[in-house]
Amino acid sequence: MGAELPALIVCLSLSLCVNIGFIVYLFLKRRNRNNPEYRQVENPDVESFPKKSIAQSIPSVTSNPQRSPEKEKESKDPPLKPIVNAKRSSENALRSEQGAQITKEPQQRSERQRLQEPIGRDEFIKCMNSVVQFINEYFDESHKQPVIPEHDVNSSRIHVKAPEKPEEFSEIVKDLKEIVIPNICHTHHPRYHAKFAGKSLADIVGSTISAALGHDVNSSPIIDSIERIICRWLSTAMAIPQMKTWMNELKDPIGTVFYTPRDVFISVIRNVIERVEKTNEDSPKSDKERPKFSDYVVYCSDDSQVSLEEACNTLKVRLRKVITYDKDSSGMTAANLQKQMEKDKAKGLIPLMIVANYGSATVAANDEVWDLVKISRKKKIWLHLDATYAGCEWLDTNSRSNVHSLISEVHSVHIVCSSLFPYSGRISIVWSCERLEIDGNKIHYGEHPIRLWILIRLYGIRSIREAVKRKIILGNAFSERLSHHPEFFELYHQNEHGVTVFQYRNKNMKDRTIDINKMTSMFHNYLIVSSTLKFSLFSYHGKTLIKAVVNYGRCNLSIMEESVSTLLNSVEEFEEALKKKKKSVIETPRNEFCELIGGSPNETTDVTQPDDAEYQKKIKNKK
C-alpha cells in the first residue's frame, strides 16, 4: 500500500503535464492561423497563382488615404478564399465552354457516310438556312422579274449528266437563281392575275412541316381531331347556320374535310342515292325494276366546275347542264331547270340532286338560289350549294348576302379554301346534317390537314378575313377601272366576287374584219409574249373571254392601278404589232385555256337545249 501511492502520484503528474502541453500546443496553433503567411502555405492551390496577381486582387490600403478607419481595418485582412474560388470557377467555366464548342463542331463525314445519308443533320440545318434566305429573297424581289419568262436564259447549264456524287447545295441555289427563276412563270407576282390559290410564307411553313410528317394520315388518330377542329373554326368564323336533313328537319351541320372537289361530289351523290334507295325500300320492286345509277340525273348550270362532271362520270350518273344564255346574270334559272326536269321525267329518268352555284367556275355567277330552294322543297330533291369560289367571303359579316341566309334551306354546302385564302392547297370543307364519307380510306393526294391547321394558327381568323376582303375589293376595283374604257374592253359579266371577265374589242378600229373571239385570243397571246401580264383565257357560250383575279398577297390599290395601266399601254403596242403583222401576235397560244374550266362531255353528260324558236329568237336579238 505504501509503494502504490507514490506510483499513482507520478502517473497523475505525468498526465497533467501532457494535458497542459497539448493545451499550449493548440493555443499556439490557433494563434499562428491568423498569420497571412501561414494561410498561404495552408492552401496549396493558392501557391500555383502568381504573387503579383494575388497582390493586385487585394485592395491596397494606401491607394485611398481618405478611407474611414473602419474600412481600413476591414481591408487589412481581405477574404482570400472567395477570390480564389471565383477565379477557379471562371477558369472551369471557360474550359467547359471550350469543350462545348469542340463537341458542337460538325465532324467531317466520310464518303461512305455521305453515300448512305447524303444530307445529314448538320447539312440539313445548313441547307434549310439557305432555303429560308432564298425564299425570303424571292418573295421580296419577285416583282423585279417579268411575270412570264421572256426567253430561255442559260438553260444549257442544267442539261448535263446525272451527278454521281452529292453536289454542294450552294451550287444548286446558284442554278436556281440564275437559271430557274428567270425561266418560270411567277404566280407570286403583282401582275399575275390568272387564278387564285396564292402562296404565302405561312403556307410554306405549314407545307414544309406537313411534308416532313408524311402523308399516311389514315393511320394517324390525331388527323381526325385536327380536321374537326378546322371545320369548327371555319364554321364559327363563317356563321354556318343550322341546315336541313333529308326529312327537312333543322339540325346543327357536321363539317367534313375532303381533299379534292371531285371527292366532295362523289360523297354527296353517293349519300343521296343511298337515301333515295332506303326511302324506296318499302315499295314492292324486284331487282330488275330497281333503277340503275344511269337512271338518276344531277342538275347544274353549264358553268359548273369540271370536278362535278368527273364525279358523275365515276359513278355513272347522268349530269344535265342547264344552259344559261343571259349575259347579265349567267346563272341557272328555275324556269330552265323545271323545263328540263319535265323532259327527263317523260323519258323515265329520276331527278336526283340539284347543284346550285354561288360563284360559278368561269364567270363567278350566282344561280337563282331562292327559286331553286322552292323547286327542291316541292319535288323533295337534295339541294347542294357549291360555294367553291365565293364561300370564303362569308368570313366577313358585310359580305354575307342573301345566299348566306339561304344556307339553312339547303342540304349541303362546300367551300374550297384555296379560292380566296392565302393558301395553295386543295382542301375542301363540306357542311351537312348527314355525315358524308367516302367508302374506304380518304385519298389525300399529297395534301395534309396539318398544313391548313398551321396556316390558320399563324394568320388568325382576323388576318385571313382581311386578306379575303382585300382580294375582293381590289378585284372589283379592277373591273371598275376597265369599265371606264369601253372603247377597248367589254365587260362580259359583272359580279361581286372580285373576278373580272372581259373581251378585247377596240372600237377605234372601225374597218376591222377580224372576229372578236380571235382578236381577244391574239391580244391574250401578245400579253404572254411581251411578258407583261398573265390572265386566264377560256371559252364560254361561244365567246372567247379573258378572266382576271387578284392573286398577289401583298397587293394594294397602287399595285392594282399599275396592272390596269400596263394593260392599257399594251393596247397601243398590240395594235402596232398587228400593223406590222408579227408572227408572234397572229398565232394563237396553245395550252393557255384554263385547265379547270369546261371539260369534254362524257356518255352520261348532256347540255340542255332550249326550244328552237326561243333559242333562235335569243340569238337574233343578240346579233
Side-chain angles (χ1 to χ4, degrees):
M1 182 70 181
E4 293 177 355
L5 184 62
L8 181 62
I9 293 172
V10 172
C11 290
L12 291 172
S13 300
L14 291 174
S15 175
L16 182 61
C17 291
V18 171
N19 290 332
I20 292 172
F22 183 72
I23 291 171
V24 172
Y25 170 76
L26 291 177
F27 175 77
L28 294 175
K29 185 176 181 182
R30 184 178 181 83
R31 184 179 179 185
N32 291 334
R33 292 184 82 174
N34 293 328
N35 192 344
E37 294 180 359
Y38 176 83
R39 209 183 321 174
Q40 287 183 4
V41 176
E42 183 187 35
N43 193 347
D45 291 337
V46 179
E47 294 181 349
S48 61
F49 288 90
K51 292 182 180 180
K52 184 177 180 182
S53 62
I54 298 176
Q56 290 175 349
S57 65
I58 302 174
S60 176
V61 176
T62 60
S63 61
N64 191 357
Q66 298 179 355
R67 300 180 73 181
S68 63
E70 291 81 10
K71 291 185 177 181
E72 185 176 354
K73 185 177 180 180
E74 291 174 3
S75 64
K76 285 182 180 178
D77 297 320
L80 182 64
K81 198 168 184 179
I83 298 174
V84 175
N85 291 338
K87 287 180 176 273
R88 188 188 302 158
S89 61
S90 63
E91 184 181 16
N92 292 336
L94 182 63
R95 287 191 190 129
S96 63
E97 288 180 3
Q98 291 176 352
Q101 290 178 358
I102 293 172
T103 55
K104 285 183 179 179
E105 281 187 13
Q107 296 180 354
Q108 189 68 26
R109 298 193 303 154
S110 65
E111 186 174 347
R112 184 175 181 180
Q113 288 175 326
R114 294 194 67 185
L115 184 63
Q116 293 178 348
E117 189 181 14
I119 300 294
R121 188 178 185 276
D122 297 320
E123 289 90 349
F124 178 74
I125 295 174
K126 184 179 178 181
C127 289
M128 289 307 293
N129 288 333
S130 301
V131 168
V132 170
Q133 183 179 357
F134 171 79
I135 293 173
N136 278 329
E137 290 176 357
Y138 176 69
F139 267 66
D140 292 338
E141 300 179 2
S142 60
H143 63 280
K144 297 180 181 179
Q145 299 283 343
V147 61
I148 305 168
E150 297 176 346
H151 50 77
D152 196 12
V153 182
N154 295 330
S155 61
S156 59
R157 262 172 51 189
I158 60 175
H159 296 294
V160 294
K161 294 181 179 179
E164 289 292 333
K165 296 182 179 180
E167 294 186 14
E168 292 295 330
F169 188 68
S170 58
E171 291 295 321
I172 299 175
V173 173
K174 183 180 179 182
D175 286 344
L176 282 171
K177 292 180 178 179
E178 297 179 0
I179 302 174
V180 177
I181 295 298
N183 285 288
I184 64 173
C185 179
H186 303 284
T187 57
H188 182 75
H189 194 282
R191 290 188 297 278
Y192 182 88
H193 302 285
K195 52 188 174 182
F196 289 123
K199 277 282 185 182
S200 65
L201 293 177
D203 183 33
I204 294 174
V205 171
S207 177
T208 303
I209 295 175
S210 64
L213 296 178
H215 295 100
D216 189 9
V217 297
N218 289 308
S219 301
S220 307
I222 190 63
I223 298 302
D224 290 333
S225 299
I226 290 177
E227 289 180 352
R228 288 194 297 270
I229 289 170
I230 292 173
C231 293
R232 187 169 66 250
W233 284 350
L234 295 181
S235 176
T236 304
M238 295 181 181
I240 302 296
Q242 289 185 325
M243 300 174 65
K244 282 191 173 183
T245 64
W246 179 249
M247 303 303 294
N248 288 330
E249 298 174 352
L250 286 176
K251 286 187 178 180
D252 292 331
I254 302 171
T256 310
V257 172
F258 290 91
Y259 294 88
T260 64
R262 173 181 171 273
D263 294 338
V264 170
F265 290 119
I266 288 178
S267 178
V268 173
I269 294 172
R270 183 174 287 150
N271 178 76
V272 177
I273 292 175
E274 290 176 359
R275 297 294 175 184
V276 170
E277 291 180 346
K278 184 178 278 189
T279 305
N280 296 332
E281 275 183 358
D282 297 334
S283 59
K285 291 184 179 179
S286 62
D287 292 340
K288 292 183 179 179
E289 294 175 343
R290 206 170 269 189
K292 302 177 182 177
F293 276 20
S294 57
D295 295 332
Y296 294 114
V297 184
V298 176
Y299 296 91
C300 67
S301 85
D302 57 358
D303 194 24
S304 294
Q305 53 180 318
V306 69
S307 53
L308 175 58
E309 184 176 342
E310 293 172 351
C312 291
N313 190 26
T314 302
L315 297 174
K316 300 303 179 185
V317 175
R318 292 181 180 271
L319 176 64
R320 191 77 71 216
K321 292 185 176 182
V322 179
I323 195 168
T324 57
Y325 40 79
D326 190 347
K327 176 183 174 181
D328 296 327
S329 65
S330 298
M332 180 170 59
T333 63
N336 291 344
L337 173 63
Q338 209 156 9
K339 186 184 299 184
Q340 187 58 42
M341 280 185 170
E342 292 172 359
K343 292 181 179 179
D344 290 335
K345 216 166 185 181
K347 297 177 182 177
L349 302 177
I350 304 171
L352 180 70
M353 186 175 75
I354 304 170
V355 178
N357 285 317
Y358 180 57
S360 60
T362 303
V363 297
N366 299 335
D367 293 341
E368 295 180 355
V369 181
W370 174 241
D371 292 337
L372 300 181
V373 167
K374 293 178 182 178
I375 295 177
S376 172
R377 286 178 181 175
K378 182 179 179 180
K379 299 185 177 294
K380 297 182 180 180
I381 299 176
W382 187 282
L383 178 59
H384 176 80
L385 181 60
D386 181 1
T388 298
Y389 267 24
C392 297
E393 296 178 15
W394 296 331
L395 286 172
D396 181 22
T397 55
N398 297 324
S399 298
R400 292 170 190 167
S401 60
N402 296 332
V403 175
H404 183 271
S405 62
L406 294 174
I407 295 178
S408 58
E409 300 293 334
V410 303
H411 298 94
S412 56
V413 59
H414 88 274
I415 66 168
V416 176
C417 295
S418 61
S419 62
L420 291 170
F421 272 35
Y423 169 74
S424 59
R426 308 177 66 185
I427 282 181
S428 300
I429 299 180
V430 186
W431 287 280
S432 175
C433 290
E434 310 288 338
R435 185 169 294 278
L436 303 174
E437 294 180 355
I438 294 181
D439 292 344
N441 293 336
K442 291 182 180 179
I443 304 174
H444 295 270
Y445 302 100
E447 187 65 65
H448 206 302
I450 291 180
R451 177 179 174 184
L452 181 58
W453 177 69
I454 291 173
L455 180 134
I456 295 175
R457 295 187 66 180
L458 288 176
Y459 260 80
I461 294 297
R462 183 176 178 182
S463 295
I464 295 176
R465 182 185 298 119
E466 292 301 318
V468 171
K469 286 169 59 178
R470 185 168 56 251
K471 283 187 177 183
I472 296 170
I473 292 172
L474 294 175
N476 293 337
F478 195 99
S479 298
E480 193 265 338
R481 298 298 189 277
L482 288 192
S483 65
H484 294 165
H485 302 278
E487 69 276 13
F488 299 137
F489 309 108
E490 181 179 0
L491 294 180
Y492 186 78
H493 176 74
Q494 292 282 359
N495 63 73
E496 68 275 15
H497 304 310
V499 179
T500 305
V501 180
F502 63 96
Q503 276 190 315
Y504 178 77
R505 180 174 294 189
N506 195 337
K507 296 180 181 179
N508 295 330
M509 305 298 173
K510 297 180 180 179
D511 299 333
R512 175 161 289 165
T513 58
I514 303 177
D515 180 61
I516 295 175
N517 290 338
K518 185 177 181 181
M519 186 61 61
T520 302
S521 177
M522 292 167 63
F523 180 69
H524 179 264
N525 183 34
Y526 175 78
L527 295 176
I528 293 175
V529 173
S530 60
S531 305
T532 55
L533 291 159
K534 181 67 170 72
F535 297 122
S536 292
L537 186 71
F538 61 92
S539 180
Y540 180 65
H541 285 183
K543 293 181 179 292
T544 300
L545 302 170
I546 297 175
K547 181 168 72 173
V549 298
V550 173
N551 177 58
Y552 184 52
R554 303 176 183 179
C555 189
N556 53 38
L557 192 60
S558 61
I559 293 176
M560 188 276 298
E561 293 278 7
E562 185 180 352
S563 291
V564 175
S565 299
T566 304
L567 182 63
L568 294 173
N569 293 334
S570 300
V571 172
E572 186 177 350
E573 297 171 0
F574 171 68
E575 294 295 343
E576 189 66 26
L578 272 181
K579 291 178 182 178
K580 296 180 180 180
K581 297 182 179 180
K582 289 186 177 180
K583 185 178 179 181
S584 59
V585 176
I586 297 174
E587 291 181 351
T588 302
R590 295 181 180 179
N591 300 325
E592 284 298 335
F593 284 83
C594 187
E595 66 273 13
L596 298 179
I597 307 301
S600 58
N602 56 54
E603 60 184 9
T604 58
T605 303
D606 186 20
V607 178
T608 64
Q609 297 294 336
D611 295 338
D612 294 338
E614 183 182 354
Y615 181 69
Q616 294 296 333
K617 185 178 179 181
K618 290 276 186 181
I619 294 296
K620 187 176 181 180
N621 291 336
K622 285 186 177 183
K623 290 183 177 179

